[in-house]
Amino acid sequence: GVCMIKVLSMMKRKDGVTLDEFRQWLTQEHVRLSREIPGLERFVVNVPDVDLPENSFDAVNELYFKDEAAMKAAFSSPQGQASGADALAHVSHRSRLVTTEYKLI
C-alpha cells in the first residue's frame, strides 16, 4: 500500500472535564477546525466509552498526511495553528508520535 505519514496525538483531558464533555468537544467542535487543515487527508479519533482510571489518555487521534512536507505545511498553516491551540486549551497533556503506518495483517 501507499506509505503515508500518520501522526498519533495522545491526549489527556483537563481536570474537571468529564469524559463525555471531552468526547463531545473532540468529535463535534474540534473536528470543525481539523477539517480546515490543508493537506490533512484523514482524521480518526479514538475515545473510550467508559472512564477507566488505568487509561493513560482520554483520546488517541490519527492524522494522515501524504508525506512529511504536507504534514509540516499543515501544522504551520493558520488552520493548523488554530486547531493546535484549540487542542492545547482542552488538554492537560498531549504527546505526539510521527509514524509511518505499516499494515501487516
Side-chain angles (χ1 to χ4, degrees), residues 31-103:
V31 69
R32 290 188 197 123
L33 292 171
S34 303
R35 281 192 186 112
E36 302 298 319
I37 298 174
L40 178 58
E41 302 207 356
R42 187 170 174 226
F43 180 55
V44 177
V45 299
N46 304 278
V47 187
D49 290 327
V50 179
D51 192 6
L52 300 174
E54 62 265 28
N55 284 346
S56 299
F57 301 103
D58 295 307
V60 177
N61 307 322
E62 305 170 50
L63 298 88
Y64 291 81
F65 302 95
K66 182 178 73 176
D67 53 32
E68 194 173 348
M71 176 193 72
K72 287 180 177 174
F75 285 142
S76 64
S77 71
Q79 300 92 328
Q81 293 289 308
S83 180
D86 182 56
L88 291 177
H90 287 84
V91 301
S92 62
H93 179 74
R94 179 180 70 171
S95 295
R96 265 196 190 152
L97 180 65
V98 178
T99 72
T100 299
E101 181 178 82
Y102 297 87
K103 291 183 182 173

Side-chain angles (χ1 to χ4, degrees), residues 10 15 21 25 40 48 72-73 77 98 105:
M10 290 77 75
D15 289 343
E21 290 168 339
W25 161 74
L40 178 58
K72 287 180 177 174
S77 71
V98 178
I105 296 177

